[in-house]
Amino acid sequence: MKIGGYVKLDAMFTDFGDGEVAGDSFGRDFYVPSVTPVGETSQNTVFDMHARQTRVNLGTDSTVGGKKLKSYIEIDFMVLNPPNADERISNSYSPRLRHAFIEYDKWLFGQTWSTFQNVASLPETVDFIGNTDAGIFVRQPQVRYTNGPWQFSIENPETTVTTGGGRVIADDNEWPDFIARYNLTNKDLSLVLAGMLRQLTYNNGGAIDDTEMGWGISVTGKYVFGNKDDIRFGLNTGGGLGRYVALNAANDAVVDDNNQLEAIDSLAWFGSWRHHWNQKYRSNFIYSRLDAD
């Protein structure tokens, strides 16, 4: 049994050149593309401090019937728009579940990183996430089977839809998201190829009751040089990729004039270079981009 975690303090000056973000928005705590203010003329500079990223985790490692049995649970306090947030007196925040899963032999049951996401390709940043615009970033309940370099999973579905009134979180899916992944390692290069099929569904109890097929392809990797520098890269594209990329900056589907769902096409890519200046200091140079129709 292992108990772990860390304590972290974030202190941030943020300059909003075209508008501002409300103080209770998670866009003040880390970079979220969808809440970046644009098109306004006012300017606002703010200072924030919090220790909400502090984490606690508990893991077990044992053997049952000659096969490995592991479990892991982790919480932090990065609650989005928490109803009990308090910066006046106690700065209290609720615990939030990050991971909770068990692994037995080749099977995983529980909540953790989506099989569609390659955590090893995430660029290193002080910010909570990093390459937010182009990266796959999803934790969700799933059942995963691993056999050598192959992984297959069924994962919790959800559909976000663009309508005339804005975003709708439908929660009407009949089928889980299906994901297949292949992990390739060759000396200093690690590469992940992943594909996804998913059902996009929205039923508002009225004129809209439709289902559309969504899909996604992800190619991500990391190459380590002899001096320990590395480059990390990724290309994510699909129709209905939606919530899987850029923290759901674009939705999965849009309702057209015939009250039918149409999957939203998107293309996201990123690259980063981590350079070690010496044994103590290193820098990360990152570019990421998202295009959505």
Side-chain angles (χ1 to χ4, degrees), residues 90-128:
S90 63
N91 284 265
S92 301
Y93 293 94
S94 300
R96 178 188 70 151
L97 182 67
R98 286 174 51 85
H99 300 276
F101 62 87
I102 60 172
E103 290 182 282
Y104 180 66
D105 195 23
K106 298 180 179 180
W107 292 90
L108 179 146
F109 305 88
Q111 174 170 307
T112 189
W113 300 113
S114 171
T115 309
F116 196 58
Q117 176 180 350
N118 178 15
V119 179
S121 69
L122 288 176
E124 182 184 56
T125 62
V126 178
D127 189 64
F128 185 59

Side-chain angles (χ1 to χ4, degrees), residues 20 37 59-60 71 88 104 106 139 169 184 257 264 269:
E20 59 183 293
T60 65
S71 70
R88 297 176 298 107
Y104 180 66
K106 298 180 179 180
R139 286 187 303 269
I169 302 175
L184 175 65
D257 293 338
I264 296 176
W269 58 277

Side-chain angles (χ1 to χ4, degrees), residues 278-292:
N278 52 47
Q279 293 184 351
K280 290 185 177 182
Y281 298 101
R282 59 187 183 271
S283 299
N284 288 264
F285 305 89
I286 305 164
Y287 182 84
S288 58
R289 177 185 176 99
L290 168 69
D291 292 279

